[in-house]
Every structure is written in structure tokens, then in C-alpha cells.
Amino acid sequence: MTRANDELSNAAVAAEAPVASGESLAEGSAPIAATTRTGARAQAPVRVGMLGCGVVGTGILRLLRDNAGTIEGRLGAPIEVVGIAVRDPSRLRGDIVPAGIVTTDALALAIREDVDVVVEVMGGLEPAGTYVRAAIAAGKHVVTANKALLAEEGDALLESAEARGVDLYFEAAVAGGIPVIRVLREGLASDRVIALRGIVNGTSNYVLSRMQHEGLDFEVVLRAAQEAGYAEADPFLDVSGGDAAHKLAILATLAYGARVHPSQIAKEGIDVVGAVDMRYARRFGFVIKPLAVARPSTWAGEEALDLRVHPALVKESSVLASIGGALNAVFIEGAMLGPCLMSGPGAGALPTAMSVVSDIVDVGRNMLVDAHARVPTRAFRGESLVPMRVRPAAEHRCRWYLRFGVSDQAGVLSRIAGVLGGFDVSIEQMVQEGGRGGSDDRATLVMLTHEAREGDVREALSEIARLAYCHEPPRALRVEEDA
Ligand code: NDP
Ligand code: HSE
């Protein structure tokens, strides 16, 4: 399918306005639908009711307009948006929103007779959860980008969708435009995943990358990420690691057949990283990246999962070190496959819209041949999903980057080293800066430790933080060797 075909098809689409109800937004704009590449109706359109029309929603409308011919060639039917629910219909959304199909009654749209697929791109747990539950109960297929909702309530929603015989797809919920859900669900159906790690929050990666390369302040770059449409409505979810934990819970379920709740994931946000840490990390040969890790482990002699979301030092020469800006990357190691790396845009209107619309195409294909639930949505059949023990964060062992702001006095270094040694934390390398000859008596001590247990490191640091000559809370970042 060529771009010219798509444009021809769009011209045909623009000639046929869909029947619509609700409050009008953009008068005279082109409808988003609905004929074949040749202009003849081959199959009835797949009719979409869209809940939300912000960054992702407007991206979906643009993609449906620009790729109409390609999509129809692949699906065998056009996709037609028959209704759009928003909170504030007066908000300007450019000329992409078709006239006459906007409503503020999301619940009514979710169960409307003429809707086949409900696309939820509203975000948050409520009222989005209520609308998705209502849609499923009404026999609608659902496509959502809402990782918070899936991570918190995915089991119940997916089970009710299975029971109702409808599809609930969510490719856009993890890593934006990277088709990692499909890879785990279908491409790796015959393999065991022995490690999964990656960068799954575009905002955090964007913020750390620009801080590092351009020396910009955290707040300035975060605002830029919001303006670019990468951040969540509440960007605290991004910078605190909450969004990545939602995504990791979803990935761990698909990779390991485990029922994982985000509260089981040890998480730390990028707000603990200062520009100074990036500089020191570089002196040791590392870059700081926002990582998510899920791998099988053992704890107290039994199988457990190691699940973590945190900024980490990765070797400058590693693949993940080269993933910059809002890009995401997911590295999966299969027992038979070996290593497999996927990277691409993890956030933003069009990459995310691409994943959403590909899900609509998949649902449409299922509708055309009446074959729902052929592939289990969580990769494993519901009855084989198990609750898995999660290894406590304190048991994690790795090398550590430690930074202390201290008075430059005799004996301080040996006291700190002594406390660390008392907790079995041994120093591999050290740098000291500032202090005598500088503007005050303060010095910065930065250490790279040998491998140490997290619980021991934390205890040592809280003892050091209580020492009178320690001027600020010690900073600790993990080193991820295999990234
Ligand atoms: P936006 O905040 O840009 O858009 C949200 C939309 O939902 C808006 O149109 C808003 O209406 C509408 N909305 C919110 N609450 C209600 C309500 N109670 N009733 C009716 N409409 C409502 O969010 P995004 O498009 O960025 O994100 C949407 C979803 O996609 C989220 O779950 C997000 O996590 C996920 N996602 C986002 C990505 C991104 O790059 N932005 C990437 C991957 C996933 P109004 O416009 O009137 O305010
Ligand atoms: N806020 C999310 C991010 C959007 O920055 O990764 C994509 O899920």
C-alpha cells in the first residue's frame, strides 16, 4: 500500500460523513471513516467509540485519517469512529475531530448500540474503570492504553472480558509504539523468559537524557516532556517510578505467567538523581538510566521473582546506555531464543496511536472471522496464571554508587568506611572533591562499592546519615551489570 493509495482513500472518506450524535466540536472537519481503497464498501466498518481525545486520542484520529487505505487493506474493512467522549468539549483540538460526534456522556457511548469497539484513552482508574466495565458487560470489545487501570484491575477486567466473549487489548499500555505485548504473547509463545529488563518510561528517560547531555534542570526538562505529550496527566507517576511499575507488572504477567500487583514491585523514582550524580557516574564509566527489571530468582530456597524499578548506573558501552530521549527499550532473554532487544518511541501521540489502532485492527480481524480469545490476552491461559512470590528488595545484591556530602575533617572518611565495613559493604573505588582550599569546609565523597546486599547498604546509610558531619542524606544508586 502506498501513501498515494492512502490519500485517495482519504478523499473518498471525506465525502461520506458518518451519522453522529452529541455536541459538535469542529465544524466542517473531515469524518474519520469509512470506504474501501476503491471507494466501494466491501465489509461493514468496525465502529469505534473513543473515550478521551487528548494526546493519544487526537493521534488516533490523525493515524486513521492518514493511513486509512493501509489499514483497510490489512483489515479488510474500514475503521469508523462513531463517537468521541471528552470532559470539556470546548477545548480546542485542531481540525482533526469530526463534526457532530463529540459527547460528554462517556458511559452512554461505552454501551451504545452502534459501537463495536470501545477505545479507552482517557487514563486514570476512575471513571475510566467504570466505563470499561460497562463496555465489557454490554458486549463491546475494548482497546485501552491505560496501564494504571490494567496493572491495578487487569485480572478482573480480563476475566470478565473472557467470560463475556469479548477482546480486551492493550498494546499501547507498555512501551508506547514498541509491540512488546504481541512479542511476549505470540512471538515467544514457545519459550521461557529468563530475564526481562528495559527502559519503559519515556518521560524519565527524556528527563535524565537532557539533564545529562544539555545540563538542564530537572523541572525545566520535565515541563518540556509534558509539552511534548510524553508525561502522564500527573507527571509524579512518571518521575516516581509509578508508571514504570504499572508497566512492569503487566510485562511480568505476560513473561512469567505470574499474577503481579504493582505494590509488589520495589520502586524508586528518578527524582533521587542529581546532575552531580551523572557527572560522577561518568567518571566511573557509567550512565544513569531509568530501569525496570523482572527476572526469576530464588528467595529462602523457593522460586521468586526479582521485580525492580529504579534509576541505575549502566556501563557507558552497554546497549541501554545508548537509548536516549523518550525512546524505550525492552531486552528479553529467552531460554531458547537468547537475547532479543526491541527499542523505539515509548511515548507520544503517533507511536502510541499506532499501537492502539493496530489493536483495533486485530480486534476487527477477530470480528470478521468470529474468533475471539484464540490467543490468551495475558499470554498464559487464565487457569495457569499463578501468584508468584516476589523477592524482598533488601535481598537484592549489586554494586552501589554512594555519594556523601560531609565536613572536610580528619577521620570522616575512615568513620564512613568503618560503618560501611561493619555492614559488610566494601569500597571498590572512591573520589573526593571540594573541601579545604574550596569555598567552605564541605567535601563530596563518592564511592563505588563491591557487590553488597541492599538491606545492609540501607542500614549502613541510615547510620551514616545520623553522623554530625554528614550534611545531607547520603545518595545510593544501584549498578546494573547486565544492562
Ligand atoms: P490526555 O490527558 O492528553 O487526554 C485524556 C483525555 O481524556 C482528554 O481528552 C480528556 O478530556 C478525557 N477525559 C479525562 N477524564 C475524562 C472524563 N472523566 N470524562 C470524559 N473524558 C475524560 O492523556 P493522554 O492522551 O496522554 O493519555 C491517555 C491514556 O493513554 C492514559 O491512560 C495514558 O497513560 C496512556 N498513554 C499515554 C501515552 C502518551 O504518550 N501520552 C503513551 C502510552 C499510553 P478533555 O480533553 O476534555 O480534557
Ligand atoms: N507517561 C508515559 C511515559 C507515557 O512517559 O512513558 C507512555 O506510557
Side-chain angles (χ1 to χ4, degrees):
M1 178 61 52
T2 63
R3 165 101 188 137
N5 288 132
D6 284 336
E7 279 164 2
L8 275 177
S9 176
N10 293 338
V13 163
E16 286 187 30
V19 180
S21 62
E23 294 150 75
S24 164
L25 261 196
E27 293 298 328
S29 55
I32 308 297
T35 55
T36 68
R37 283 176 288 161
T38 56
R41 281 186 187 272
Q43 281 281 357
V46 173
R47 297 163 305 174
V48 168
M50 201 163 82
L51 311 184
C53 192
V55 172
V56 180
T58 50
I60 291 169
L61 297 179
R62 278 174 61 195
L63 191 150
L64 286 173
R65 181 194 63 193
D66 294 351
N67 286 359
T70 300
I71 290 166
E72 192 182 336
R74 290 185 171 161
L75 169 58
I79 295 172
E80 180 178 352
V81 178
V82 297
I84 299 174
V86 295
R87 195 169 26 194
D88 175 8
S90 70
R91 222 182 95 186
L92 291 177
R93 287 161 227 270
D95 60 0
I96 190 68
V97 179
I101 67 166
V102 174
T103 175
T104 52
D105 193 344
L107 186 57
L109 179 60
I111 59 175
R112 217 167 80 184
E113 189 73 19
D114 64 343
V115 168
D116 303 308
V117 185
V118 169
V119 171
E120 187 272 304
V121 281
M122 180 180 278
L125 296 183
E126 285 299 338
T130 298
Y131 302 150
V132 168
R133 284 189 291 277
I136 292 169
K140 312 294 180 194
H141 305 292
V142 174
V143 173
T144 178
N146 190 336
K147 49 272 161 122
L149 182 63
L150 286 161
E152 292 290 340
E153 298 177 31
D155 274 345
L157 293 173
L158 288 158
E159 275 154 26
S160 62
E162 276 161 27
R164 190 68 179 78
V166 295
D167 291 327
L168 171 49
Y169 282 7
F170 49 88
E171 183 64 67
V174 180
I178 306 176
V180 60
I181 301 290
R182 267 189 190 75
V183 167
L184 282 169
R185 193 190 270 153
E186 300 183 42
L188 297 180
S190 68
D191 208 355
R192 281 176 296 113
V193 176
I194 55 176
L196 185 155
R197 62 184 157 266
I199 296 171
V200 295
N201 185 264
T203 302
S204 301
N205 200 30
Y206 178 85
V207 169
L208 290 185
S209 299
R210 292 200 64 189
M211 280 172 70
Q212 182 179 338
H213 296 299
E214 298 167 57
L216 296 172
D217 283 344
F218 184 91
E219 297 298 335
V220 172
V221 200
L222 180 57
R223 258 197 311 281
Q226 289 176 278
E227 281 158 19
Y230 302 146
E232 296 302 299
D234 175 4
F236 179 72
L237 263 178
D238 295 293
V239 299
S240 67
D243 177 75
H246 289 147
K247 292 166 176 166
L248 191 66
I250 297 169
L251 289 177
T253 296
L254 272 79
Y256 302 110
R259 290 182 194 271
V260 174
H261 189 267
S263 61
Q264 296 175 283
I265 297 174
K267 75 176 158 61
E268 184 175 61
I270 58 160
D271 42 357
V272 300
V273 180
V276 62
D277 298 310
M278 297 180 165
R279 276 204 313 278
Y280 285 119
R282 195 132 233 170
R283 285 174 71 160
F284 292 128
F286 293 99
V287 177
I288 302 178
K289 287 287 170 191
L291 293 196
V293 179
R295 60 182 166 202
S297 177
T298 53
W299 174 44
E302 287 187 39
E303 275 187 9
L305 282 177
D306 171 22
L307 297 174
R308 295 176 278 121
V309 163
H310 52 73
L313 277 71
V314 301
K315 285 199 194 84
E316 266 178 326
S317 56
S318 69
V319 180
L320 290 185
S322 68
I323 307 296
L327 288 181
N328 280 192
V330 182
F331 172 90
I332 298 172
E333 194 168 347
M336 306 297 145
L337 168 73
C340 169
L341 179 80
M342 286 169 280
S343 96
L350 291 177
T352 311
M354 189 282 298
S355 287
V356 171
V357 177
S358 294
D359 272 354
I360 303 172
V361 169
D362 235 4
V363 170
R365 285 170 169 163
N366 290 347
M367 285 168 58
L368 290 178
V369 295
D370 201 13
H372 306 296
R374 188 184 68 82
V375 181
T377 330
R378 288 167 290 182
F380 289 75
R381 300 234 156 250
E383 63 278 9
S384 63
L385 285 166
V386 289
M388 188 86 88
R389 282 154 50 95
V390 174
R391 196 183 66 177
E395 301 303 326
H396 178 57
R397 294 185 68 83
C398 66
R399 289 199 289 164
W400 290 83
Y401 161 98
L402 305 177
R403 174 166 61 83
F404 306 95
V406 294
S407 301
D408 187 24
Q409 292 168 12
V412 170
L413 175 58
S414 69
R415 181 80 176 95
I416 288 178
V419 175
L420 290 170
F423 284 94
D424 208 17
V425 181
S426 136
I427 299 164
E428 181 191 300
Q429 295 180 52
M430 205 202 79
V431 172
Q432 174 170 346
E433 270 188 0
R436 282 161 214 213
S439 55
D440 57 27
D441 76 334
R442 297 197 176 182
T444 302
L445 291 177
V446 184
M447 298 172 182
L448 198 62
T449 74
H450 288 290
E451 198 176 285
R453 185 179 160 274
E454 176 155 353
D456 295 335
V457 171
R458 300 281 175 211
E459 279 193 66
L461 295 187
S462 60
E463 192 168 317
I464 292 169
R466 289 195 294 272
L467 300 175
Y469 42 74
C470 210
H471 295 302
E472 57 186 56
R475 291 294 169 101
L477 294 168
R478 301 162 190 82
V479 176
E480 194 72 22
E481 306 289 350
D482 304 323

